[in-house]
Amino acid sequence: MNPSDIFSLAYDALVDRKIRTILTVLMVVLGASLVVVINGLSAGQSAFLEKQLSSLATNVIYATSGQRSYYGGASSQSSLILNSVIINKLRALPYVTDVVPQYSGSVTIDSYGNVQRVSVVGMDPNKLTVMLPNLQYVDGSTLSPNDRSAAVVGDTIANPPGATTPFVTVGQTLKITYSYTDSAGKSQQEVRNFLVTGIMKPSGNTRIDNALVINPDAANQLLRKSGRYDSLLIQTTDDTYVNTVQQEITDIYGKNIGLTVPQAFLQVRQQTAQGNAMFVEMIGFIALVVGAVGIVTTLYNSVTERIREIGTMKAIGAQNSSILALFLVEAALIGIMGATLGLAIGVVGGYAMTSFPSHTGGAGGPGGFGPGGGSISSFPPIFLPQDLIKVWLLSVSLAVGAGIFPAWKASKLSPMVALRRE
Amino acid sequence: MVEESTKIDNIDLKETALAVKNLSKIYDSSAGRVVALDNLSFSVKKGEFVSIAGPSGSGKSTLLNMVGALDRPTSGHVYINGIDIFALNDSMIATMRNNLIGFIFQSFNLINRTTVLKNVKLPGTISGMSPSDANARAMKILEALGIADKATQKPVNLSGGQQQRVAIARALVNNPAIVLADEPTGNLDTKTGEDVFDMLKTLSHKFKRTIIMVTHNPELAESTDRSILIRDGRIEKDVVN
C-alpha cells in the first residue's frame, strides 16, 4: 500500500471516531502544554535570576540582626541591634571598605490620587551603587543624600507595568503614608510629602526597581525606627574577601547576626528553581505518559472494534506491515495533533500565566535591598525553539510508541479468526 | 511467487482455476480430535460456477477458508492458477490473495466509514495500483453492476442488495482467478438474494469468471454449473447441473 493510502485510511478511522480521537488528542495536549509551560517558565526564571546575578555587586555581604534564612524571613532571635556602634565596628574590620546602613518598611504612596503600596528604604542614595554597580538614572535625576524631603524612585514604581502614563515623574511631589500600631495598640499614620528628585532606570533587581529610596534620617523618623537599622550592606575590598569577612563577622557576633551573600543566595535560588523545574517537568512527562496510555487504550479499543475490518483487509491481501503501519499512523496523527496543539496552548498559556498583575508593593519589611525574589510575572517565559522541538518530538514519539502494541496486535491477527468475530 | 505447476494427477492446471488435492484439516483440542476436512480432492475449471453445499458443520466453510488461504490445512495442496498456495510464506500468501482471489462475504464486510468507491478500490490500493487506475477500474465495475451512482455514498446508507453488489465489485477489482462467495445471499431477502445470485451467474457465464459459492440453499446450489455436496468433511456428491 502507498503511504498516502495508509494515511488516508488512518485519517478516516480517526475522523470516524471523532469524540474518542478528540479526547485522546486532549490527553497529549495536556501533557505537551504542561511541559512547554514549565520549560518556558523555567527558562524565563533562569534568565531572570541570571540577570539579577549579573546586576549585583560580587563583593557585598548583606547583614540583618539575628539569623536570616535564604528565603528572606528574619528569625525571632534578634538580640543584636544594628546601630552606629556595630557599623563602626564592622567598618574597622580588615578588607571592609564600606558599611551602608538601611532602614526599610512598607508605605503607601499617593500621586495625584493614584495609590501604590511600595517598599521604602532609608539609605544614602549615592551608596546604591555599592549593591548595583551599574545602576543608572533617568535624565534630570539628581541625588540629594542630605535632603530629608528628597526621594529616588525605582523604575517599576515610576512606570508600572501595563500603565500608559508614568505614576510619577522627576520634580513631582509624592505623599507617603506609613501605618503602624502604637504602644497602646492603636492604629496610627505618619504622613509626609517628598519631592521626587530621581528615577532609577531598570536595574535588573526586582527589589530596587520596586523601591523608594529616601534619606536615612527621614526614614528613621517616618518609619519610627529609633535609630535601629534593619540591615547593613557590607562592602569588601573585592569578592575574594567576601568569605573571609563573613567568617570574621560570624566569629564576633555568632548567630546574633544574619549574613547573606546575595550572589550565593541567588545561586542557591537558581539551583532550587532548577530542581523545582525538573520536578514539575517530571509531572509534565508523567502527564505525557498518561496521554500515551490513553492512546494505547484508544487504539486497543479501535483494534477490537475493527477486528472484522482488519480481517477483511487481510483477506483481500493487506500485508501485516500495512496493518501495522495503519495503526501506527493513527497513533502518530494523534501525537502530531496533540503535540502541535499542546505547543501552541503551552506558549499562549505561559504568556497568559505571566500576564497576571504582580504584587510589587509591600515587599520591604526588614529586608531592605536584600536579594530579591519576584512574582511569577517577574519571569517572562522564554520558549526556545530547540525546547519546543524537543517536546514535540517527545510527544509524537511517545504517541507512536504507545501505538506499537495495539498495531502489532492488529497486524498479527489471523484473518480467519478476525472474520469470525462479531 | 513459486513456479507454476502445469499438471497434477492428469489435471491440466492451465485449464484449471482451482485444484484441491488430498486436503485435510484436523483440529486437535482438549475436547478431542475433529476431522473437519478428510482427504478432499477436486478441481474447478476456469469460468466454472461451482457451489459447495452441505449441512451445518459439514466442513464447507473450512474448505472455503483453505481455498481462500485464510487458514492452512493439516495436509494436502491447493493450486490456484497452478500455484501451490501453501508452498508460499505468509507475506506471499497475502499477495496471492490480493492478486488471485476475490472474496464475497455473507455480511458484506464493507468499511462503512468510507465511500463505496474507496471500498471497491481497496484491493487495488493494497496491490499498489495507482489511484487513478484504481478509481477508473472501480468505477467501471460499479457501472457494470449498476451502482455507479452510489460511488460517493457510504455503504451503511445502501440497501442490503446494493451493499452486496459493492462487495462483488470489490471482489472483482483486481481481476482475480477465482471468486469465493460465502453464503452471498444469506443476509438478503429472497428477491434480492435472487438478484445477487443472477449477477454472479452473469459474471460467470458472460464474463467467464470462476466462482465458488458456499451455500446451504439446495435450490441455489442446483442453479450453478456444478454442485459439490460436502458431508462430514468428505465429498458426498459432485454433480454437474
Side-chain angles (χ1 to χ4, degrees), chain A residues 3-61:
Chain A
S4 61
D5 295 321
I6 289 172
F7 177 87
S8 169
L9 282 168
Y11 180 78
D12 284 349
L14 291 178
V15 170
D16 190 50
R17 291 163 174 80
K18 275 191 207 77
I19 300 294
R20 194 186 303 168
T21 303
I22 289 168
L23 290 175
T24 315
V25 167
L26 272 180
M27 286 188 192
V28 183
V29 167
L30 193 68
S33 56
L34 198 57
V35 176
V36 166
V37 167
I38 292 160
N39 265 340
L41 292 180
S42 170
Q45 192 182 26
S46 273
F48 171 81
L49 290 171
E50 199 64 47
K51 195 175 165 190
Q52 296 255 5
L53 269 171
S54 62
S55 69
L56 286 170
T58 55
N59 61 335
V60 167
I61 300 169

Side-chain angles (χ1 to χ4, degrees), chain A residues 1-2 4-6 8-10 12-14 16-17 306 308-309 311-320 322 326 330 414-416 419-420, chain B residues 27 65 68-71 90-92 94-95 97-98 101 103 105 107-111 113-114 118 122-123 125-131 170:
Chain A
M1 283 175 90
N2 294 324
S4 61
D5 295 321
I6 289 172
S8 169
L9 282 168
D12 284 349
L14 291 178
D16 190 50
R17 291 163 174 80
R306 288 153 64 190
R308 279 175 73 88
E309 176 189 320
T312 305
M313 286 187 68
K314 293 188 101 171
I316 61 178
Q319 298 284 351
N320 289 354
S322 298
L326 181 67
E330 283 183 34
S414 151
M416 193 185 71
L419 284 168
R420 273 192 196 148
Chain B
Y27 295 103
N65 286 338
L70 298 176
D71 196 6
D90 286 348
S91 171
M92 289 162 85
T95 307
R97 275 200 299 263
N98 183 243
I101 303 173
F103 284 94
F105 302 97
S107 48
F108 326 131
N109 286 19
L110 299 170
I111 300 172
R113 64 166 180 273
T114 192
K118 278 191 176 176
L122 189 58
T125 304
I126 289 170
S127 70
M129 199 184 281
S130 75
R170 183 181 64 188

Side-chain angles (χ1 to χ4, degrees), chain B residues 108 159-162 164-165 168 184-200 217 219-220:
Chain B
F108 326 131
S159 68
Q162 287 169 331
Q164 196 58 297
R165 286 185 198 206
I168 292 168
T185 61
N187 271 14
L188 304 173
D189 60 70
T190 310
K191 174 73 178 66
T192 314
E194 282 171 3
D195 289 346
V196 167
F197 180 76
D198 288 344
M199 185 170 283
L200 293 175
N217 183 332
E219 283 179 29
L220 284 185

